[in-house]
Amino acid sequence: MSESPLVQNVTDRHDAGKRRGMMSIGEHERLALRQAWQNHCTALNAVVSDAIDGKLGDARDGNELAELVRSIGRISAMSLQHRMDFNDPNFPLFLRQMDDRFRYGGPDNNIAYFQASLNGGATYRIRGNNGGRTMNIGMLWDENITADDDGTFEVTVSAKEQPGNWTPIPADLRGDTHIPEIYPAAGSFNIRRYDWDWDSDLAPGWLSIERVDEQAPAYPAALEAGQFAAQIENATRLFRAAARWWNQRAADVRAHNPVNEITPPSTLPPGVKNYKPPVNAGRPWLFYGIVCLDLGDDEAIVIETDLPDGAYWSFTLYNMWWESPDIMNRQTSLNQNQTHIDADGKARFVISAKDPGVPNWLDSGGPRRGFLHYRWFRPDVKVPVPTSRLVKFDDIAAAMPSDHPRIDLAGRKAILSKRREQLAKRFQR
């Protein structure tokens, strides 16, 4: 039976392409791509198998194990997307991560994180407008950045000092391939934008980055098989490091901290060795504290604290593996603008699986293990030490001041509806 005209046309075009040398595939190209992809799948299978077999992490039931395997899958997706699409130091792009998309790493729901891969031998120019928000770009804070009247700014990034707004990178930086031993994550250059006032409908802001030194190429190179195989291998290395480090860190923190008891503030993040705390003008700009949660359905943790004198502070819940839980549909975080302050000047929070009817409820999403992480951001003098106590759910009301307000079901629904809208404006536009 003769071929249809459509099939014959495809065959003719294929043969014509082969004659022109346009569609030939070398065996070395097939081998490189096959090997790179098989290596990635093998690495993914090995890490997931270690999690399921109890060699990675410390899951103790099926739900915790499912969350662990999901976190591994999310890190795999992040690693591939970054190394395939956001990892060219000649034509860098900012990858926004650790938010509603990529939830690993204990992200602060009040921060948008942007990361780019840079090389120390190049010079880069960042332009943008943060819409009036606080922002830090490398070593610079927004108050140290000269901007136009409308807020538009320009920052130079390079190893060699430059006039005007400038922030350094190491001369030997290879951001497209280097994977740090601590905090392994996509990118090598970080920008943080702080969204503290969720009620303010500020302009979303914008950022651009480009290489501007004389050696900068004019156009990106076309994708080649060997190059793409190298990108997959690069993603595999990042995945192996990140999936194991972040999830083992969570287990280590649980092993070395008390259960259901808040820790005092520290400049060292929990579970991170050999970490150099960030400073601004010679002073630490961030203090951390945690609670390792292990709550029953009829239990709650009541936290009481004085207030720091910094511009921003927050209390945030995470699941067992330092991932953000459902930030849209549950009240899993509160900052200084969202928190009810009692008449005595103290803030009181309740962590529980059921709604206790108080304004500062942090919803654990059910009886489970996880983390509470609080942050005092750039305090001036006051660095308060919160206290906590484990109580039965029915005893929560007695632990609150007599004039502490109540939130009924309708009020809670209204709060969550507003929260969804606020987060959608920030992350989904």
Side-chain angles (χ1 to χ4, degrees):
M1 188 173 79
S2 62
E3 294 179 328
S4 71
L6 176 59
V7 172
Q8 185 63 50
N9 183 46
V10 172
T11 302
D12 290 345
R13 286 191 285 113
H14 178 75
D15 291 341
K18 290 179 66 177
R19 288 193 297 272
R20 292 195 299 271
M22 293 173 58
M23 299 185 66
S24 61
I25 302 175
E27 286 306 310
H28 67 286
E29 294 172 315
R30 297 183 193 274
L31 178 62
L33 289 168
R34 179 179 289 112
Q35 190 64 55
W37 189 250
Q38 288 178 344
N39 288 346
H40 188 80
C41 293
T42 298
L44 178 58
N45 183 65
V47 176
V48 170
S49 294
D50 281 353
I52 293 174
D53 294 338
K55 299 176 183 178
L56 174 65
D58 58 343
R60 69 184 184 190
D61 62 33
N63 292 343
E64 292 181 351
L65 180 58
E67 287 187 339
L68 174 55
V69 173
R70 183 182 63 183
S71 78
I72 293 169
R74 285 171 170 170
I75 291 175
S76 174
M78 176 277 296
S79 301
L80 281 170
Q81 182 177 32
H82 181 263
R83 292 317 202 217
M84 290 190 300
D85 299 321
F86 292 85
N87 199 42
D88 186 349
N90 290 324
F91 296 90
L93 294 169
F94 286 114
L95 173 66
R96 200 191 78 202
Q97 60 163 335
M98 295 194 292
D99 51 22
D100 63 327
R101 301 175 183 180
F102 299 116
R103 301 186 179 197
Y104 76 99
D108 187 326
N109 296 334
N110 303 280
I111 302 175
Y113 300 83
F114 303 90
Q115 297 178 307
S117 294
L118 308 182
N119 278 350
T123 299
Y124 301 91
R125 179 175 60 211
I126 295 173
R127 299 190 73 245
N129 192 310
N130 61 8
R133 302 171 181 84
T134 295
M135 173 180 285
N136 78 287
I137 300 177
M139 301 296 290
L140 290 176
W141 289 92
D142 57 287
E143 65 259 31
N144 306 124
I145 297 174
T146 302
D148 295 339
D149 291 342
D150 68 351
T152 301
F153 59 82
E154 185 174 304
V155 174
T156 303
V157 183
S158 63
K160 183 179 179 180
E161 186 171 357
Q162 305 286 336
N165 299 325
W166 169 76
T167 190
I169 52 176
D172 60 351
L173 177 65
R174 285 299 306 273
D176 53 336
T177 58
H178 175 65
I179 301 173
E181 292 184 6
I182 63 173
Y183 288 123
S188 58
F189 183 82
N190 301 303
I191 293 179
R192 291 179 175 87
R193 189 188 69 206
Y194 297 82
D195 292 271
W196 300 332
D197 189 353
W198 292 23
D199 286 326
S200 295
D201 190 19
L202 297 174
W206 58 274
L207 287 168
S208 70
I209 183 170
E210 60 179 322
R211 183 176 175 180
V212 294
D213 57 275
E214 293 182 354
Q215 286 71 44
Y219 301 99
L223 184 66
E224 297 179 351
Q227 171 198 351
F228 188 62
Q231 289 176 338
I232 297 173
E233 293 285 5
N234 198 356
T236 302
R237 292 193 298 273
L238 175 60
F239 162 72
R240 283 198 189 103
R244 292 189 181 279
W245 190 89
W246 285 106
N247 289 309
Q248 190 57 50
R249 176 201 178 193
D252 292 344
V253 170
R254 278 187 289 275
H256 294 96
N257 285 279
V259 175
N260 295 333
E261 183 178 324
I262 201 162
T263 64
S266 170
T267 59
L268 297 177
V272 182
K273 298 179 181 178
N274 303 317
Y275 179 76
K276 185 178 180 180
V279 296
N280 183 49
R283 302 176 60 184
W285 59 267
L286 188 57
F287 292 81
Y288 313 81
I290 62 167
V291 179
C292 294
L293 303 171
D294 190 357
L295 291 174
D297 188 55
D298 64 340
E299 293 179 323
I301 294 176
V302 176
I303 297 172
E304 182 176 300
T305 184
D306 292 314
L307 308 182
D309 57 1
Y312 158 70
W313 48 268
S314 67
F315 283 70
T316 306
L317 292 181
Y318 301 111
N319 71 10
M320 279 194 61
W321 314 111
W322 285 114
E323 290 186 309
S324 291
D326 188 344
I327 64 175
M328 285 277 190
N329 300 305
R330 295 183 183 276
Q331 185 169 276
T332 57
S333 66
L334 290 167
N335 67 28
Q336 80 284 356
N337 292 322
Q338 300 164 324
T339 298
H340 168 78
I341 308 300
D342 285 315
D344 60 0
K346 296 180 183 292
R348 293 173 175 86
F349 303 86
V350 175
I351 306 171
S352 62
K354 297 181 290 187
D355 189 345
V358 299
N360 298 341
W361 175 41
L362 293 170
D363 181 358
S364 69
R368 60 172 57 217
R369 292 192 293 171
F371 297 101
L372 177 283
H373 201 154
Y374 71 89
R375 295 171 171 91
W376 302 148
F377 178 79
R378 298 176 74 177
D380 186 16
V381 176
K382 297 179 181 178
V383 183
V385 179
T387 62
S388 66
R389 49 179 164 153
L390 181 67
V391 302
K392 292 297 184 181
F393 183 83
D394 291 341
D395 296 332
I396 293 174
M400 297 290 124
S402 59
D403 60 348
H404 196 74
R406 299 287 300 171
I407 303 294
D408 60 14
L409 180 59
R412 188 70 69 195
K413 287 182 176 180
I415 290 171
L416 292 176
S417 179
K418 182 179 180 181
R419 182 182 181 90
R420 293 184 194 100
E421 181 178 321
Q422 290 168 327
L423 288 167
K425 287 180 178 179
R426 179 140 55 93
F427 289 138
Q428 299 179 8
R429 66 178 180 182

